[in-house]
């Protein structure tokens, strides 16, 4: 009986599954050197970019997909994917928000992402990426007043090629891994952020990724540079239409924090997860890494992963600067036949570096949820500290939770702590809540939210409520 | 208020059916306090749980009406909305859920069922601050997670706090006195007594006569082997205390 209630509670429909009818300008499917050159040509890129893409492409040809993750999926046919698709109206790029195709504005409005500079999220600047290109970025002028650059990656390549050339690939090199290398060859757009020395970014920055076109992969690249003593909080959100075929999303995010700089990066990932039978959904293979280059710098990752058929991502921090701090807060939810293999890497190199990992995995239906994390303390990392806590909550008897922690310590002054727990949502807890008058739905969402609280409180305020709601939606009907 | 007729309930244990309640008959009128006593395993707690709608019991026979409603046909939250409250023998911990938030959600959930507006936040705060004093808990407990890390006594006081806030029509206290020291026991009794009125009924499930020194019942029932084998006034409890359960079990067979 309780299980039936859980089942009803956990399955609600995916609200963002609609398709926008908009003409697009796409390259033919398949990957070749010509396609790479064509992407670069369309984006009118300087030579260093084309060369970098080609090096990546040639290296990619020598690689094979990783197989170590606890994930099962049919092989991806990389020749059937369209690597570039842009809404047609955007050939020259809108000069201002007024020029953005109303259909696109409507799409983002439907998704709850305002592309006008007032209203509910007036304190948040948004870069909207639709399929392969950025269609609008808000609040650019206001940000420019304090010297903050927030624009699409394509624009950055045109306007700030020196910054791009200096930092691109310095955290995630083009040879890094199969998916990152693929991204390096074909990435089409993304966001670029530069916070000058001593500036505290006056508003939240946000990128909203939307896959619309069919058979299209989304390969975006985000680069955030925080100069000495600066601060930025950045959030990304993602959705896609409901389709029976799987679609590939292989993104790369690089963060660079110099002395005393802080970057807070939050993700609310809600790609289409596939249907109840496990048909369709996004394959999400993402490489996210931050480098704490400077002393006393700090990088904090917070992720709420509720979507995608497959999630493969390990937002990591390289703690190079002395006294630098890395944090990873994660809620990953897998329902129906979703699979997630996610976690982090904390690489301690500098002295007195510290890292915190809080991972909350929730599995329902037939979902499989794995935490995979590496804590590495290099011989140079005197007095490194790490605290790791991994908790799993099971909402059904058919789902799975797995933990794969790797700890490598090469300095005897290090202190590394690891705590893990797995619990099944208590029938006792449910009954207790219901006896007090809460509906089964409210009870489950309250218990799950309580479980995730440590992570939710790390989210920017504007999004904490959204994340809670998202979790409720993703959970509806999940447990059996 | 409450009428139980020939109630039979069993559980599945190791694929075997085990009967726990074997024909309970009980009528509780508005304003009455009933004590249900009996040895371990007699079915007292099962009765409390079946009334509140806990999963895992098969009701094989009989029926229960509460305020004219077929109680066994409705969900636990619907029973709560009708005004049935169970103070748990083992109150449950809910990590990460703020105690005050929980209570507010519960209260407003009940109010919604009753088509009432949610309680004003300031009124709620004022009420809860005065009630928490009554049960002898510090205000810091309001901002902790529900029952998490509370001592046994603190959990029981928290149950009484919830009861005082939710103001049920029928409160069932399942061994609320067990594990309490004398100060806590008196505090719990004071809380329960403050709720006593002509419309409200209370069922006390207990092992010991001790609680009944402080909450004087109108009727005392003795359960054994899933049945009420003897009922009487408060003197029955004293007699039980003096003679032990063996006396009554012996006399019934």
């Amino acid at each position: 009986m309780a299980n039936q209630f859980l089942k009803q509670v956990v399955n609600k429909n995916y609200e963002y599954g609609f398709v926008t009818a908009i003409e697009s300008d796409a390259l033919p499917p398949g990957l070749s050197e010509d396609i790479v050159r064509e992407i670069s040509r369309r984006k009118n890129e300087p030579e260093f970019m084309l060369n970098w893409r080609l090096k990546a492409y040639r290296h990619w040809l020598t690689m094979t997909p990783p197989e170590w993750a606890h994930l099962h999926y049919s092989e991806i046919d990389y020749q059937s994917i369209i690597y570039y698709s842009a809404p047609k109206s955007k050939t020259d790029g809108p000069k201002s928000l007024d020029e953005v195709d109303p259909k696109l504005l409507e799409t983002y409005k439907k998704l709850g992402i305002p592309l006008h500079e007032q209203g509910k999220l007036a304190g948040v600047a948004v870069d909207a990426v639709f399929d392969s290109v950025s269609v609008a970025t808000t609040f650019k002028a206001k940000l420019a007043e304090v010297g903050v650059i927030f624009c699409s990656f394509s624009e950055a390549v045109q306007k700030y090629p020196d910054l791009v050339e200096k930092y691109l690939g310095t955290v995630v090199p083009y040879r890094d891994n199969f998916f990152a290398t693929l991204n390096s060859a074909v990435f089409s757009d993304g966001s670029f952020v530069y916070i000058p020395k001593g500036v505290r970014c006056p508003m939240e920055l946000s990128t909203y990724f939307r896959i619309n076109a069919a058979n299209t992969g989304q390969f975006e690249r985000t680069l955030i540079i925080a100069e000495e003593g600066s601060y930025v909080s950045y959030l990304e959100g993602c959705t896609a239409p409901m389709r029976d075929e799987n679609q590939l999303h292989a993104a790369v995010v690089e963060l660079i924090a110099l002395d005393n700089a802080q970057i807070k990066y939050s993700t609310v990932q809600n790609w289409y997860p596939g249907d109840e039978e496990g048909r369709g959904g996004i394959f999400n293979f993402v490489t996210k890494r931050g480098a704490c280059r400077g002393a006393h710098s700090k990088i904090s990752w917070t992720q709420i992963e509720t979507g995608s058929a497959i999630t493969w991502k390990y937002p990591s921090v390289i703690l190079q600067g002395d006294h630098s701090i890395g944090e990873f807060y994660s809620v990953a939810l897998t329902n129906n036949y979703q699979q997630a293999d996610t976690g982090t890497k904390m690489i301690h190199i500098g002295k007195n570096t510290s890292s915190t990992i809080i991972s909350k995995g929730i599995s329902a239906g037939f979902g499989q949820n794995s935490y995979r994390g590496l804590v590495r303390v290099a011989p140079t990392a005197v007095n490194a500290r790490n605290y790791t806590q991994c908790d799993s909550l099971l909402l059904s008897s058919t789902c799975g939770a797995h933990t794969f922690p790797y700890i490598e310590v090469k300095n005897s002054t290090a202190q590394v702590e690891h705590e893990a727990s797995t619990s099944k949502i208590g029938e006792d807890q449910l009954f207790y809540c219901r006896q007090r008058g809460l509906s089964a739905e409210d009870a489950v969402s309250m218990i799950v939210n309580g479980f995730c609280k440590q992570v939710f409180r790390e989210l920017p305020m504007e999004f904490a409520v959204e994340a809670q709601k998202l979790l409720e939606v993703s959970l509806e009907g999940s447990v059996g | 208020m409450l009428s139980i007729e020939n109630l039979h309930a069993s559980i599945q244990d190791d694929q075997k059916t085990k009967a726990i309640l074997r024909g309970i008959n009980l009528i509780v009128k508005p304003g009455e306090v009933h004590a249900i006593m009996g040895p371990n395993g007699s079915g007292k707690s099962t009765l409390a749980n079946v009334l509140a709608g806990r999963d895992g019991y098969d009701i094989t026979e009989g029926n229960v009406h509460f305020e004219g409603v077929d109680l066994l046909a409705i969900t636990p939250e619907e029973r709560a909305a009708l005004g049935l409250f169970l103070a748990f023998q083992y109150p449950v911990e809910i990590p990460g859920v703020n105690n005050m938030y929980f209570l507010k959600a519960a209260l407003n959930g009940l109010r919604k069922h009753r088509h009432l507006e949610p309680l004003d936040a300031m009124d709620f705060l004022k009420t809860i601050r005065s009630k928490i004093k009554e049960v002898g808990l510090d205000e810091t407990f309001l901002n902790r997670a529900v029952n998490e890390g509370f001592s046994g006594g603190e959990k029981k006081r928290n149950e009484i706090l919830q009861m005082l806030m939710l103001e049920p029509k029928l409160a069932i206290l399942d061994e609320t006195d067990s594990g309490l020291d004398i100060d806590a026991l008196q505090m719990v009794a004071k809380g329960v007594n403050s709720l006593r009125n002509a419309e409200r009924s209370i069922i006390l499930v207990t092992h010991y006569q001790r609680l009944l020194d402080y909450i004087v019942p109108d009727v005392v029932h003795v359960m054994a082997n899933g049945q009420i084998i003897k009922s009487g006034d408060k003197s029955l409890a004293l007699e039980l205390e003096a003679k032990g359960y063996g006396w009554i079990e012996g006399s019934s067979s």
Side-chain angles (χ1 to χ4, degrees):
Chain A
M1 191 173 160
N3 276 345
Q4 271 174 10
F5 274 112
L6 279 173
K7 206 168 210 161
Q8 288 166 8
V9 173
V10 184
N11 282 323
K12 205 193 240 173
N13 292 330
Y14 185 72
E15 297 183 52
Y16 309 105
F18 63 90
V19 180
T20 305
I22 193 161
E23 247 190 292
S24 63
D25 185 10
L27 291 178
L31 186 53
S32 64
E33 203 166 299
D34 288 346
I35 291 280
V36 174
R37 286 178 188 279
E38 181 59 19
I39 291 171
S40 187
R41 192 190 65 79
R42 287 196 184 203
K43 306 192 86 60
N44 192 28
E45 287 180 345
E47 204 170 339
F48 83 88
M49 280 301 309
L50 174 63
N51 289 339
W52 197 71
R53 287 177 183 276
L54 288 174
K55 277 193 287 186
Y57 174 68
R58 285 167 197 151
H59 185 67
W60 183 74
L61 291 175
T62 67
M63 302 172 92
T64 49
E67 282 172 358
W68 41 261
H70 189 77
L71 300 168
H72 302 278
Y73 55 95
S74 47
E75 216 174 300
I76 299 167
D77 177 4
Y78 292 92
Q79 294 305 332
S80 68
I81 295 172
I82 295 169
Y83 288 86
Y84 183 87
S85 169
K88 223 169 203 167
S89 52
K90 209 257 169 188
T91 336
D92 298 322
K95 300 286 176 294
S96 74
L97 293 174
D98 304 335
E99 291 176 35
V100 176
D101 188 324
K103 268 187 193 163
L104 289 173
L105 291 179
E106 187 54 34
T107 300
Y108 284 91
K109 201 176 152 199
K110 231 164 131 179
L111 297 168
I113 306 300
L115 292 185
H116 45 79
E117 298 185 348
Q118 59 265 325
K120 189 170 68 139
L121 292 178
V124 182
V126 178
D127 181 25
V129 177
F130 191 87
D131 290 334
S132 301
V133 293
S134 167
V135 292
T137 310
T138 63
F139 291 108
K140 275 160 102 167
K142 192 175 170 192
L143 291 166
E145 284 171 23
V146 288
V148 169
I149 302 170
F150 179 42
C151 63
S152 70
F153 206 99
S154 311
E155 192 180 329
V157 169
Q158 302 302 322
K159 287 194 183 162
Y160 316 102
D162 297 347
L163 279 175
V164 173
E165 192 170 9
K166 183 173 173 191
Y167 289 106
L168 177 72
T170 61
V171 187
V172 180
Y174 71 83
R175 295 166 169 268
D176 195 77
N177 70 72
F178 185 83
F179 297 104
T181 301
L182 176 63
N183 173 288
S184 302
V186 302
F187 79 92
S188 41
D189 217 332
S191 299
F192 177 83
V193 176
Y194 176 81
I195 315 289
K197 192 170 168 178
V199 170
R200 188 179 172 89
C201 187
M203 59 205 322
E204 300 281 339
L205 304 184
S206 165
T207 301
Y208 195 87
F209 296 104
R210 173 74 177 169
I211 295 180
N212 187 65
N215 304 317
T216 303
Q218 192 176 48
F219 305 92
E220 83 278 358
R221 197 159 183 117
T222 297
L223 177 58
I224 300 180
I225 302 146
E227 289 277 10
E228 273 175 47
S230 67
Y231 169 86
V232 62
S233 169
Y234 181 93
L235 183 127
E236 60 169 6
C238 340
T239 58
M242 292 159 75
R243 296 185 199 281
D244 284 346
E245 304 80 34
N246 298 109
Q247 279 179 281
L248 179 63
H249 173 252
V252 171
V253 175
E254 295 179 278
L255 311 182
I256 294 140
L258 302 177
D259 284 356
N260 296 303
Q262 273 190 43
I263 302 175
K264 183 174 173 59
Y265 194 106
S266 313
T267 303
V268 176
Q269 186 265 106
N270 188 24
W271 294 119
Y272 176 55
D275 68 11
E276 279 168 43
E277 315 279 306
R279 271 186 306 253
I282 301 292
F283 284 175
N284 191 33
F285 292 90
V286 172
T287 305
K288 291 184 169 174
R289 196 173 303 150
C292 282
R293 296 248 162 99
H296 297 278
S297 57
K298 178 175 173 183
I299 290 179
S300 178
W301 297 101
T302 304
Q303 60 171 22
I304 310 297
E305 301 283 321
T306 61
S308 297
I310 303 264
T311 297
W312 178 99
K313 67 178 278 200
Y314 315 91
S316 305
V317 184
I318 300 167
L319 298 152
Q320 283 169 283
D322 292 347
H323 303 277
S324 58
I325 298 171
E327 293 175 337
F328 174 74
Y329 299 97
S330 170
V331 167
L333 173 100
T334 53
N335 190 9
N336 297 320
Y337 287 88
Q338 281 177 275
Q339 304 172 60
D341 192 298
T342 185
T344 184
K345 287 187 273 187
M346 292 291 174
I347 313 295
H348 293 255
I349 298 168
K351 296 184 183 72
N352 299 308
T353 49
S354 66
S355 59
T356 303
I357 300 171
I358 307 284
S359 163
K360 304 278 181 177
I362 303 158
S363 318
F366 294 88
Q368 292 292 327
N369 209 321
S370 303
Y371 167 80
R372 187 181 302 277
L374 168 67
V375 177
R376 177 181 289 155
V377 178
T380 50
V382 177
N383 285 325
R385 298 278 180 277
N386 165 266
Y387 174 73
T388 300
Q389 183 188 336
C390 298
D391 298 318
S392 304
L393 186 66
L394 304 174
L395 301 187
S396 76
S397 46
T398 45
C399 61
H402 317 274
T403 307
F404 304 99
Y406 303 87
I407 299 172
E408 297 172 18
V409 178
K410 300 223 168 79
N411 185 304
S412 58
T413 59
Q415 279 184 26
V416 177
E417 279 179 77
H418 182 96
E419 287 180 24
S421 78
T422 302
S423 52
K424 197 159 181 226
I425 195 161
E427 303 225 335
D428 285 349
Q429 286 178 331
L430 260 183
F431 176 60
Y432 189 71
C433 293
R434 296 176 71 194
Q435 205 305 301
R436 294 300 180 252
L438 296 170
S439 67
E441 287 85 351
D442 290 348
V444 171
S445 88
M446 191 183 270
I447 294 165
V448 169
N449 273 312
F451 177 75
C452 300
K453 196 178 198 175
Q454 273 173 296
V455 175
F456 284 165
R457 69 177 175 214
E458 298 298 329
L459 283 174
M461 233 196 352
E462 289 90 337
F463 298 98
V465 178
E466 301 288 319
Q468 279 193 17
K469 277 193 210 143
L470 184 60
L471 210 64
E472 280 166 29
V473 171
S474 304
L475 265 178
E476 281 214 18
S478 75
V479 181
Chain B
M1 168 81 59
L2 179 75
S3 92
I4 306 174
E5 284 173 71
N6 190 32
L7 183 65
H8 289 253
S10 57
I11 53 165
Q12 292 294 326
D13 190 16
D14 263 349
Q15 328 223 303
K16 270 180 279 179
T17 303
K18 195 176 161 202
I20 309 282
L21 301 181
R22 305 157 185 256
I24 299 279
N25 290 290
L26 178 66
I27 289 181
V28 179
K29 295 195 183 114
E32 288 183 347
V33 175
H34 287 236
I36 298 180
M37 305 183 71
N40 285 330
S42 57
K44 304 185 302 288
S45 285
T46 298
L47 177 61
N49 282 316
V50 165
L51 291 177
R54 187 191 283 267
D55 250 359
Y57 301 98
D58 295 322
I59 312 296
T60 48
E61 244 187 287
N63 54 61
V64 179
H65 285 90
F66 177 59
E67 300 263 277
V69 176
D70 178 1
L71 199 64
L72 301 178
I74 60 177
T75 63
E77 56 269 35
E78 287 165 334
R79 300 179 198 201
L82 283 178
L84 187 150
F85 179 92
L86 173 65
F88 283 57
Q89 185 178 1
Y90 304 109
V92 179
E93 299 190 3
I94 311 177
V97 176
N98 179 282
N99 205 20
M100 182 151 64
Y101 173 77
F102 175 75
L103 200 42
K104 198 169 164 191
L107 187 61
N108 286 331
L110 294 179
R111 291 177 70 91
K112 198 172 154 194
H113 267 286
R114 294 169 194 161
H115 306 290
L116 295 171
E117 291 291 305
L119 202 66
D120 174 78
M122 287 310 290
D123 289 345
F124 175 80
L125 199 63
K126 222 173 115 188
T127 316
I128 200 167
R129 280 191 172 147
S130 88
K131 303 279 187 199
I132 197 165
K133 274 199 198 86
E134 285 184 40
V135 300
L137 283 178
D138 190 271
E139 272 187 33
T140 55
F141 279 85
L142 293 176
N143 292 316
R144 289 172 58 178
V146 179
N147 291 323
E148 196 184 30
F150 291 20
S151 73
E154 287 161 354
K155 285 181 181 170
K156 297 294 176 75
R157 289 174 195 246
N158 200 36
E159 293 292 286
I160 299 303
L161 172 65
Q162 293 179 6
M163 184 181 77
L164 294 178
M165 289 299 293
L166 301 178
E167 301 186 311
K169 284 187 192 149
L170 172 65
I172 304 168
L173 283 75
D174 188 7
E175 302 205 15
T176 299
D177 53 333
S178 65
L180 291 189
D181 61 33
I182 195 75
D183 289 348
L185 187 74
Q186 285 179 354
M187 199 73 87
V188 164
K190 211 174 110 197
V192 174
N193 284 328
S194 76
L195 275 186
R196 275 181 94 156
N197 67 28
E199 281 85 47
R200 187 172 283 129
S201 310
I202 295 165
I203 296 176
L204 303 168
V205 173
T206 181
H207 268 304
Y208 306 108
Q209 196 274 333
R210 190 176 68 152
L211 179 67
L212 308 182
D213 287 341
Y214 301 99
I215 310 171
V216 180
D218 299 299
V219 191
V220 175
H221 308 277
V222 182
M223 270 186 81
N225 289 317
Q227 290 182 321
I228 291 175
I229 53 169
K230 198 169 175 70
S231 301
D233 63 13
K234 62 185 185 210
S235 63
L236 178 59
L238 292 168
E239 209 173 339
L240 267 179
E241 180 89 344
K243 299 182 180 169
Y245 288 116
W247 156 68
I248 205 130
E249 282 176 291
S251 71
S252 72
S253 55

